[in-house]
Structures are given as C-alpha cells and as structure tokens.
Amino acid sequence: MKFVLIFGPQAVGKMTVGHELEKRTDLKLFHNHMTIELVTPFFEYGTKEGNRLVSLFRQEIFEAVAKSDLYGLIFTFVWAFDLQADWDYVDHVCRIFESKGGTVYFVELEADLNERIERNRSPHRLEHKPSKRNAEWSEANLKKSMKKYRLNSLDGEIKKENYLKINNTKLSAEEVAQMIKDRFQL
C-alpha cells in the first residue's frame, strides 16, 4: 500500500497534480474537497458538525483503503505548519497506513501567490470544487488563510525519508506528476 500525501496552500495545484498522478499510476485520488463538497450542502464549511462529518468520512475511507488490496491512495491536504493539530492529524493519518505495512510519501507543493490566484479560477478547479465557484470569496479566503497560517514548511522542517518539495509555479501538473512518479518509483 502506498499513501501519497500532497500538501500545500490553496490553489497550489494539489488536486490537479493528483489527477495527473492518478492517470500515470494505479493510485486512486482522494482530494480533500471530495468530503467537503459532500457535507457542505447540509452543514456550512467550517462548522462544528460539518468538520465532524468530514473527519468521520475521511477516517472511514482511510481505514478501508489501508486494509484493502488497492495499490495506494493520493490524498490532498492544506497543512497549517503552525498548528499542532495539523501535525497531529498528519501523523494520525500516516499511522493508519503504516500500521498496515504501507509506505507514506510526502509531496509539498509551493507556488507564487499570483499563480495561485490565477489557478483559483481555473475551470478544472471549479468543476471539482463547487464551493470555490464564488471566486471573490475563494480568493479572499485564500489570502486570509495565507496571512493567518504558515502553509509551506521551512527548510529542514519535514524530516521524512520519502519527502519531495516542488515549486510548481512554472511547471505543468503533468510535469509535476511525472516528477513524483519517477522520484518514488510509483
């Protein structure tokens, strides 16, 4: 079992890279908005009940996949490095896969703000993330979270063996996916 965690700030290209990596491997993509979009029609994003349900669905999917005979899973996540709860969550999810003999791969994406703002309005993103279709709100939220949290790691902060950090400002999702596939021999 292979578990590829792709993380970085909003609109950096996590889901798009995940789709391309899924095309090039036998990995299945589980992007973070799959659960958010499922719950949002019932409970607004960020509410206590909405967060509980998103967490519950993700937990069940992780556990089921970790026990399965699937080749592996790609999961996308916005990791706030200045929140211990996010570090704990990442550790928890990784342990689910590692406890079943799986290998975890960490892929961090970073891109310039102007590029992220442009990607925030891309048709691919809006197709898969209906809650981002209010582009003004989404862009404001992107900027607000960037000021509130540190969404990329510091040099040397992640000490995992299977770790790759890519500045994908000027790279296509296809190029990034191929880099990931090649680096980790997926």
Side-chain angles (χ1 to χ4, degrees), residues 12-73:
V12 76
K14 298 177 297 293
M15 178 192 65
T16 307
V17 168
H19 276 130
E20 291 301 324
L21 186 59
E22 182 179 44
K23 290 177 189 175
R24 290 168 168 67
T25 66
D26 290 325
L27 297 164
K28 302 292 182 193
L29 174 62
F30 178 31
H31 67 80
N32 61 331
H33 268 264
M34 293 170 91
T35 49
I36 292 169
E37 300 301 340
L38 174 67
V39 171
T40 298
F42 309 101
F43 299 98
E44 198 170 312
Y45 179 72
T47 62
K48 182 178 178 182
E49 189 60 14
N51 289 344
R52 185 187 76 78
L53 288 170
V54 165
S55 179
L56 179 66
F57 285 126
R58 288 178 183 176
Q59 177 78 17
E60 291 294 322
I61 291 169
F62 292 145
E63 289 179 6
V65 170
K67 291 182 217 172
S68 77
D69 62 356
L70 290 175
Y71 177 69
L73 188 72

Side-chain angles (χ1 to χ4, degrees), residues 124-175:
H124 184 255
R125 178 177 173 83
L126 300 179
E127 174 188 351
H128 293 279
K129 299 179 180 183
S131 64
K132 302 292 184 179
R133 292 179 185 158
N134 179 338
E136 291 75 28
W137 172 87
S138 183
E139 184 175 319
N141 180 261
L142 181 155
K143 290 176 178 176
K144 178 181 171 186
S145 66
M146 194 176 101
K147 290 178 183 174
K148 187 173 181 180
Y149 302 109
R150 183 167 55 84
L151 302 176
N152 278 114
S153 70
L154 302 173
D155 288 341
E157 187 171 21
I158 297 180
K159 299 175 183 351
K160 303 291 185 180
E161 179 181 341
N162 297 317
Y163 169 65
L164 177 62
K165 187 173 190 175
I166 302 170
N167 185 318
N168 64 331
T169 301
K170 297 187 184 313
L171 298 173
S172 70
E174 295 84 359
E175 290 171 305

